[in-house]
Amino acid sequence: MIKACIFDLDGTLTDTVESIARGVNKALVHFGYSKRPVEEYNFYAGDGIDMALKRALAAAGDTEGRCLEAGIPLCRKYFGEDPLYHVKPYPQIRETVEALKARGVKNAVFSNKPHTAAVQVVEAVFGKGFFDYIQGQTAEIPRKPDPAGVFRIMKEFSVRPEECLYFGDTNTDMETGHAAGLYTVGVAWGFRPRSELEAYHADCIINQPAEILQVYREKNR
């Protein structure tokens, strides 16, 4: 019986690529580099804002990461100025999570954003208390694909791996869900192509949020 669902945030619940691009591009300009096109951030994002900066710097010409150390606090500052810039939920996400809630399912968010930013974005977009638990990156909970955050959520919900589903849009998410022993679902509407989800052995791949309920029903048979 499925009792809980864990969702990645960026590229799974919310379209945040413009928000990430804004903060990182401001840091690039500070160091004299040109802004990178927003669509490139579909591949820079997914492993935290620090890694997004590292990838963008390399693409801009700083292949040795000379500006990375100074750029990380600067990038976080820019991102913190407007973390909700053009952030929006994907169509059908709210309705789908509400349908899960109506069935008694606990729902959590596990993000590579710093914890405070993750909470701020989720509560601003969906409302306080809409998700039962939000977990971002902290000193105790490292970035995905480390599954520590998944284990924290399962402990909070008192559920076993076989009672939980994990949803995400990147290779990092597939590794995270599998490392925790969860049935791991790739979502094809996010930042990365379907081929990446296949290459990292998603247990199944869905094309639209409404299919989340189908996965839930099938796993409960």
Side-chain angles (χ1 to χ4, degrees):
M1 181 71 177
I2 299 299
K3 298 180 179 179
C5 291
I6 301 175
F7 297 91
D8 168 56
L9 179 57
D10 299 329
T12 299
L13 296 174
T14 54
D15 183 353
T16 56
V17 68
E18 290 188 62
S19 173
I20 295 166
R22 174 189 177 276
V24 177
N25 273 338
K26 289 189 72 171
L28 293 184
V29 170
H30 174 85
F31 292 112
Y33 294 106
S34 298
K35 295 179 180 180
R36 306 305 302 175
V38 170
E39 57 269 20
E40 289 186 9
Y41 284 88
N42 286 320
F43 296 91
Y44 302 158
D47 296 298
I49 195 72
D50 298 354
M51 184 58 70
L53 174 62
K54 182 178 180 179
R55 290 165 176 162
L57 280 169
D62 183 11
T63 55
E64 297 179 358
R66 295 184 302 273
C67 300
L68 183 61
E69 184 176 354
I72 286 174
L74 190 64
C75 187
R76 291 186 178 189
K77 172 181 176 291
Y78 290 144
F79 182 75
E81 290 172 352
D82 192 1
L84 297 172
Y85 178 80
H86 288 193
V87 172
K88 53 186 178 295
Y90 286 105
Q92 302 176 321
I93 283 291
R94 177 180 292 277
E95 295 84 353
T96 299
V97 174
E98 286 176 341
L100 289 170
K101 289 158 68 76
R103 290 162 170 78
V105 177
K106 294 285 189 179
N107 298 281
V109 179
F110 182 25
S111 174
N112 267 343
K113 288 185 185 299
H115 182 70
T116 300
V119 172
Q120 183 179 1
V121 170
V122 172
E123 292 187 347
V125 173
F126 296 100
K128 191 170 184 178
F130 186 75
F131 283 91
D132 299 290
Y133 198 84
I134 303 167
Q135 183 64 63
Q137 181 190 355
T138 68
E140 297 78 26
I141 304 295
R143 289 197 308 268
K144 298 179 283 186
D146 191 302
V150 175
F151 295 140
R152 171 73 63 85
I153 292 166
M154 287 195 293
K155 182 178 180 180
E156 180 73 18
F157 289 168
S158 299
V159 297
R160 301 187 300 272
E162 63 268 23
E163 297 173 323
C164 191
L165 301 174
Y166 185 94
F167 297 88
D169 70 303
T170 69
N171 61 325
T172 299
D173 288 309
M174 300 305 98
E175 292 178 329
T176 303
H178 288 315
L182 273 57
Y183 188 84
T184 302
V185 182
V187 306
W189 59 81
F191 291 166
R192 304 290 176 80
R194 187 184 187 93
S195 58
E196 178 171 303
L197 303 174
E198 293 172 342
Y200 282 82
H201 309 294
D203 290 310
C204 76
I205 300 175
I206 58 178
N207 297 307
Q208 56 184 342
E211 293 178 52
I212 291 170
L213 290 174
Q214 181 179 339
V215 175
Y216 167 77
R217 288 192 294 265
E218 289 177 352
K219 294 300 292 181
N220 275 333
R221 286 176 181 169

